[in-house]
Amino acid sequence: VFYFTFRVNNCVGFSNYKFFLLFLSYSMLYCVFIAATVFQYFLKFWVFHVLFLMFVALMFFVSLMFLFGYHCWLVAKNRSTLEAFSAPVFVSGPDRNGFNVGIRRNLLQVFGENRRLWFIPVFTSEGNGHYFPLKNRSSESHNPLLANEDMWEESDDGSEEGSLVEDHDPSVTIEMEEE
């Protein structure tokens, strides 16, 4: 688990968040299974390897339980770990709950519509990772680096001149340049 946590570092995002939560829950279940099967030997034989196995299984369970609980709270609030520390900035200012659309819809964004597939490791998340619904219809995304609240559309000839696009969609769209 420590190796996986080290390798995951900043790699958990839209496309694999469900898989990360499933990994945590299946790991917790495995720790409970190990502790339950070793418990009878723990009571009968007080040998080092049984004590060590029981201790490690319980310690991993406790640490995974806290990590899983924190991420369940993040899903319920529809936040990423970065948004938990620094609120996203909108036109009206920073708002920690800007993407919170209710617990049910937040869960559906991560796990998808089909509840039978929630605990199976297949991709069922809603959206494409570039479009995120907002809490308020009146909120619009705002990039604090640009300090320009207007949205401009590039012209077809590649020049920087463009026309103002009036977009009444209340969602945030993230566009990434391909390298």
Side-chain angles (χ1 to χ4, degrees):
V1 173
F2 290 118
Y3 175 74
F4 180 79
T5 305
F6 174 73
R7 296 288 298 163
V8 166
N9 196 8
N10 289 326
C11 299
V12 176
F14 170 78
S15 61
N16 60 358
Y17 197 64
K18 174 187 173 183
F19 301 109
F20 178 67
L21 289 172
L22 289 176
F23 169 76
L24 292 177
S25 61
Y26 293 153
S27 298
M28 285 183 358
L29 288 173
Y30 187 61
C31 288
V32 168
F33 174 76
I34 290 172
T37 55
V38 170
F39 187 70
Q40 62 182 334
Y41 301 109
F42 175 75
L43 294 177
K44 285 184 184 178
F45 311 108
W46 284 78
V47 292
F48 175 75
H49 63 279
V50 173
L51 294 170
F52 181 74
L53 184 59
M54 183 74 169
F55 178 73
V56 168
L58 291 176
M59 291 307 296
F60 269 106
F61 173 76
V62 169
S63 62
L64 288 171
M65 182 181 63
F66 283 112
L67 185 61
F68 181 71
Y70 176 65
H71 281 280
C72 286
W73 178 78
L74 287 175
V75 168
K77 298 288 185 180
N78 206 9
R79 294 182 191 164
S80 67
T81 50
L82 294 176
E83 292 166 349
F85 294 110
S86 174
V89 178
F90 298 95
V91 173
S92 60
D95 183 8
R96 286 195 184 276
N97 295 316
F99 296 108
N100 187 354
V101 290
I103 292 176
R104 184 179 181 281
R105 287 184 58 202
N106 293 345
L107 283 172
L108 292 177
Q109 283 184 359
V110 174
F111 291 103
E113 290 281 339
N114 191 346
R115 292 183 185 210
R116 287 181 274 148
L117 298 177
W118 279 16
F119 299 104
I120 298 173
V122 294
F123 184 79
T124 56
S125 298
E126 290 184 350
N128 60 7
H130 297 279
Y131 172 83
F132 301 95
L134 297 175
K135 174 182 70 172
N136 292 334
R137 290 198 150 282
S138 63
S139 297
E140 293 180 10
S141 69
H142 176 66
N143 187 340
L145 298 175
L146 297 178
N148 184 2
E149 296 178 13
D150 297 334
M151 299 177 70
W152 292 89
E153 181 181 274
E154 268 187 43
S155 64
D156 292 334
D157 63 358
S159 66
E160 292 185 17
E161 295 179 14
S163 61
L164 180 63
V165 175
E166 293 191 23
D167 187 80
H168 298 292
D169 187 7
S171 303
V172 173
T173 303
I174 300 172
E175 296 180 15
M176 300 175 60
E177 294 180 10
E178 293 186 32
E179 296 179 22

